[in-house]
Amino acid sequence: MRIRKAGALAAAVLALSLAATACGSDDDGGDGGGGNGGSGGGGAEELRIGIKFDQPGLGLQEPGGGYSGFDVDVATFIAGEMGVEPENIEWVEAPSPDRESMLQRGDVDFIVASYSISTERQDLVSFAGPYFLAHQDLLVRTDQEVSEDAINDMTLCSVTGSTSAQNVVDSIAPDADLQEYNTYSECLPAVQNGTLDALTTDDSILAGYAAQDQYEGQFKLAGFSLSDEYYGVGVAKDDEALVEEINTALQTMIDEGAWEEAVEANFGPANYEYEQPPTIGDFSFLEEE
Ligand code: GLU
């Protein structure tokens, strides 16, 4: 684990002073990115956090080098509760097929990357959350007619190692022609030029692509709710202390209204109708799998 802790008490004091700064009048904020904690103390802790780099609205590496999206905001909030300043977070790309191995190798402290909690994944990693509920859907060209009964006849694109690809094979459309890529953004040109009929994954991800300026007016969501995807924060297997710490942070984020603010800010522009936050620590949805 790469979290360097100055002790629980120091972390608590730090979190308090951070909260105070966040609510205050920003008198020592707005450091133009220059300082590295400087003399303010608290610069001793750092986190490596896995996110997506190519999913607008969730986890996106901006052309200018910053990072944006709901998962980025959730991760930043959790880090803040742990006493880690945003500038002490190292963002690491966590593509869908690599998430479990990244946690197993200890490449990152935790992963916030549209990461659905599933019993298969729980054999390899542990999850905090759930902090978000999405549903699998199809992204098609605006001029396409689609019916839920005809998905088996379609050529689909999804990502290796995702629940989206697994759901297609297991239940949604076992007879469909499914092409698997490493990232969802790689699917977009093929759907755009008609080589493939649809990209299938979580509606939260698809809404972000449909709303991108470069694809304006070109894609639409079919509007099918093909699965329930409860997002968790992935941690190394059986790190129960970290799960608990993250769950406490997630609960605070919801209670303080920061969760609502983050979903509005990130999904509002895409007109994505999000679900209310799920109950933290409630994994009963797994019994329906
Ligand atoms: N939520 C699904 C999953 O974790 C699809 C999105 C993704 O691949 O990140 O597999």
Side-chain angles (χ1 to χ4, degrees), residues 55-270:
Q55 295 179 189
L58 277 161
L60 185 70
Q61 186 178 42
E62 300 284 355
Y67 298 87
S68 69
F70 179 64
D71 281 339
V72 173
D73 288 351
V74 168
T76 305
F77 190 95
I78 295 167
E81 291 295 295
M82 292 175 158
V84 177
E85 314 249 10
E87 60 267 30
N88 291 335
I89 299 171
E90 186 184 337
W91 300 107
V92 182
E93 185 171 21
S96 298
D98 301 341
R99 291 175 294 200
E100 291 81 27
S101 53
M102 288 174 74
L103 289 169
Q104 287 173 322
R105 284 194 304 262
D107 292 351
V108 288
D109 295 303
F110 54 85
I111 289 180
V112 193
S114 57
Y115 198 6
S116 298
I117 300 168
S118 73
T119 43
E120 290 80 12
R121 288 174 179 166
Q122 278 181 318
D123 289 340
L124 306 169
V125 302
S126 291
F127 288 100
Y131 67 92
F132 194 77
L133 171 59
H135 305 283
Q136 187 163 347
D137 197 354
L138 305 183
L139 186 79
V140 295
R141 292 180 303 282
T142 314
D143 58 4
Q144 269 173 282
E145 296 278 325
V146 269
S147 115
E148 208 169 322
D149 301 332
I151 306 177
N152 265 318
D153 303 326
M154 297 175 83
T155 50
L156 302 174
C157 190
S158 199
V159 160
T160 312
S162 67
T163 53
S164 316
Q166 197 62 49
N167 292 339
V168 168
V169 175
D170 287 350
S171 54
I172 294 172
D175 295 332
D177 176 3
L178 176 68
Q179 317 252 331
E180 296 184 35
Y181 288 66
N182 208 47
T183 64
Y184 299 103
S185 55
E186 287 172 60
C187 294
L188 292 172
V191 178
Q192 189 184 26
N193 69 26
T195 312
L196 296 172
D197 295 322
L199 158 58
T200 184
T201 186
D202 305 339
D203 48 11
S204 49
I205 300 171
L206 300 177
Y209 290 135
Q212 269 186 308
D213 284 348
Q214 70 189 105
Y215 294 120
E216 207 191 329
Q218 296 193 41
F219 294 122
K220 67 179 179 191
L221 274 71
F224 308 146
S225 184
L226 302 168
S227 73
D228 288 340
E229 304 294 324
Y230 286 87
Y231 290 179
V233 177
V235 307
K237 185 152 173 63
D238 296 331
D239 191 341
E240 290 310 322
L242 187 54
V243 166
E244 230 173 87
E245 200 172 0
I246 293 174
N247 278 346
T248 304
L250 291 171
Q251 192 62 57
T252 304
M253 187 176 186
I254 294 168
D255 293 344
E256 287 182 351
W259 186 95
E260 187 76 30
E261 243 172 65
V263 280
E264 272 297 323
N266 291 294
F267 295 127

